Amino acid sequence: MEVPQAKKIEKILEIHGDKRIDNYFWLNERENPEVTQYLEQENAYAEFIMKDTEQFQEELFEEMKARYKKDDESLPYFFNEYWYIVRYEEGKEYPIYCRKHGSLDNEEEIILDVNVLAEGQEYFEVGSVSVAQNNELASFSSDNVSRRIYTINFKNIKTGEILPDKIENTTGKATWAKDNEHVFYIRKDESLRAFQVYRHKLGTDSSDDILIFHEEDDTFDVNVFKTKSLEYIFIASSSTISDEHRFIPADNVFADWTVIQPRIDDLEYSVEHYEDEFYIITNADDAFNFKIVKAKIDNCGMENWVDVIPHRPEVLLEGFEIFKNYLVLEEREEGLLQIKIIDEKTHESYYLPFSDPTYTAYIGVNLEFDTEILRYGYTSLTQPSSTYEYNIKEKTTKLLKQQEVLGGKFFAENYISERIWADSRDGEAKVPISLVYHKDTKKSADTPLLLYGYGSYGHTVDASFSNVRLSILDRGFIYAIAHIRGGEYLGREWYEDGKMLFKKNTFFDFIDAGKFLIKENYTSSKHLYAMGGSAGGLLVGAVMNYEPTLFNGIVAQVPFVDVVSTMLDETIPLTTGEYDEWGNPNDEEYYHYMKEYSPYDNVEAKNYPNTLITTGLHDSQVQYWEPAKWTAKLRELKTDDNILIFKTDMSAGHGGASGRFESLKEDALEYAFLLKLENKKDE
């Protein structure tokens, strides 16, 4: 089959006296039939190249699906007189939201059956479901395009009636007031930025809704939520590096909004309520790893904040949960998450014990105030996701639910996890790497290893279990996560050292991690693979340009690869809010720095690794044309005979296919690609 090649139409892009020639700029014309034709040609070519793996992909898909419980349900949680459960029925792709009054032995009420709503839809996703305090009404939001633009509807749970109210172009979230007739919601602008908060009264037309707050700074977006106490409604306005919160009592939707602390550059804070005080987690007063303060509700400005948990340079404070008699902290020290319990009466404090060398632990759903029971989650590379109930008074732990791995072939003791530290080239840091492999897999130059990374927005990819991943571990792969700068694995400074004018540290850390794994004889370049999605796609794209022979294969999922052009186009979703992450290329210094690493701008005539690139036509986070242009330019310039395939899901967005198991087909394709390169597709 002929290799696709997009036509070239020269487009000169000039700023700061610098010219870039973009021959594939025209691919951003979403409605152009020639664009659709090119994407379909690439899809056909990908299918042709992977033809010999079709049966294997199906086997992988069935193998992955077989590990999941088909009629699974979430752990019930109790809130406002009801136990809430989300469950799946065998043979159905979508969740069913339901509840039981008072006791789990009582009759089930179905709040929402998403399978019914999704009938006849190519794509369907429910954004959120929220029940009013009277327990009779519910809001729910849905997206049938995969553009993350949701329509909010309302339902009478008692009668099953869908109410006539309909609110379009929202973030999907609805926050109920105490009166059970008003909700607050958020609209998006043309660039999909959450920018306006409205109040809607049930039974009225949404065109009559009241604009409550308009965020005019296009580097900020907004959120609306109710405190755990249900006493206050908050609007949070946030950029990457600063926050502003305002509130009203939840029982008075017409009250004037009170600002806790007006926005200041580099001041971040978030708020929770307890009795007559607000508890605030913040980086105020140079607390770069955050601290907790409190202030009286009637006098809550920054000048009145009193330290509750002081700043500690060696500990990143990630979150907290307030109970009547206890304060529970989520902390990260030397990369590992810990849960600390503080008795507010005795001031005794201690940590819950965790034993794996690398793992994830987090505070779970805890909606009750007056309780001694803490729910928390735990998972590691070898331990399936588990939810525990810890009795703080008795200091006893009970396992409530553990993710089941069906098929009878998974035994945790058959897998080994490690955490190792790679030297970085600048000598400033050691890069942590979490690994997992089957106990029968020997480390050697012939061992395949998949290295995963992200490294942006302070988002940390922690070590967690994956049902899907077993399909490559059981075929002899080692799986590794590089905890590179740009994430917050080693604290806030680890993030700051991997953003803006330090962004290249992210790419170099990943490369150094790969070279360290080779040096320590875990693998070799011939068997080393890289994977990353979105900003992680930028990561692997940049790495391909810097070190094209380090990896045998690359999987770039919905990759953000046309950095300069995207960050110069303020009409593209999310661009202006990203200036604090990447810099603003309208500033010459940032422009030239970005241009030096932007994957698309640095494609040149040389050998590249085998590459699989994926996207969704309706992606709202990374527009489809970025990977499309990148693929076309790679096809034009690369000098090797390695595989390059590009697959566009013509009905999906940034999160991939909807439905519980459909996304496993994407996993099966990616793994079949890696195993094809290893000649293991017949194993």
Side-chain angles (χ1 to χ4, degrees), residues 139-141 150-154 165-167 170 172-174 185:
S139 66
F140 65 92
S141 61
Y150 295 89
T151 298
I152 297 173
N153 292 93
F154 298 87
D165 306 56
K166 178 186 280 192
I167 310 170
T170 80
K173 187 175 184 180
Y185 66 90

Side-chain angles (χ1 to χ4, degrees), residues 366-503:
N366 293 274
L367 300 179
E368 298 294 310
F369 259 122
D370 189 3
T371 180
E372 289 156 348
I373 301 300
L374 166 73
R375 273 195 186 181
Y376 71 91
Y378 181 86
T379 178
S380 73
L381 293 169
T382 60
Q383 295 292 332
S385 296
S386 306
T387 302
Y388 292 90
E389 187 174 271
Y390 180 73
N391 187 307
I392 302 174
K393 186 177 181 181
E394 304 293 334
K395 295 186 178 176
T396 55
T397 302
K398 181 168 76 174
L399 175 64
L400 296 180
K401 181 180 173 67
Q402 185 172 70
Q403 174 190 359
E404 290 187 58
V405 184
L406 302 185
K409 295 179 181 178
F410 171 74
F411 301 96
E413 60 270 22
N414 287 339
Y415 301 87
I416 297 168
S417 69
E418 299 178 26
R419 188 170 65 148
I420 59 176
W421 300 75
D423 296 318
S424 65
R425 68 188 61 195
D426 59 11
E428 295 288 318
K430 285 186 176 288
V431 182
I433 307 170
S434 296
L435 303 106
V436 63
Y437 49 91
H438 194 280
K439 67 180 184 181
D440 295 337
T441 298
K442 307 301 180 194
K443 302 168 195 172
S444 76
D446 296 323
T447 304
L449 188 150
L450 176 59
L451 184 62
Y452 185 86
Y454 188 76
S456 292
Y457 306 106
H459 173 71
T460 298
V461 180
D462 278 306
S464 60
F465 185 79
S466 166
N467 248 347
V468 169
R469 191 187 301 138
L470 295 173
S471 290
I472 54 170
L473 296 183
D474 291 348
R475 289 175 172 84
F477 264 77
I478 297 173
Y479 179 85
I481 305 165
H483 304 291
I484 50 186
R485 279 176 279 191
E488 278 188 344
Y489 191 79
L490 293 180
R492 184 67 176 197
E493 288 179 319
W494 198 244
Y495 168 41
E496 299 289 343
D497 286 346
K499 64 185 283 199
M500 307 285 273
L501 297 173
F502 297 99
K503 189 66 213 169

Side-chain angles (χ1 to χ4, degrees), residues 96-141:
I96 300 168
Y97 294 83
C98 48
R99 67 181 185 178
K100 296 180 179 183
H101 187 257
S103 166
L104 287 169
D105 295 327
N106 285 336
E107 188 179 347
E108 174 187 275
E109 275 184 275
I110 290 179
I111 302 168
L112 200 68
D113 185 342
V114 183
N115 297 284
V116 175
L117 298 174
E119 279 180 16
Q121 305 274 0
E122 271 192 53
Y123 178 95
F124 194 84
E125 182 199 8
V126 165
S128 69
V129 177
S130 180
V131 178
Q133 276 182 249
N134 66 2
N135 287 320
E136 295 181 6
L137 302 168
S139 66
F140 65 92
S141 61

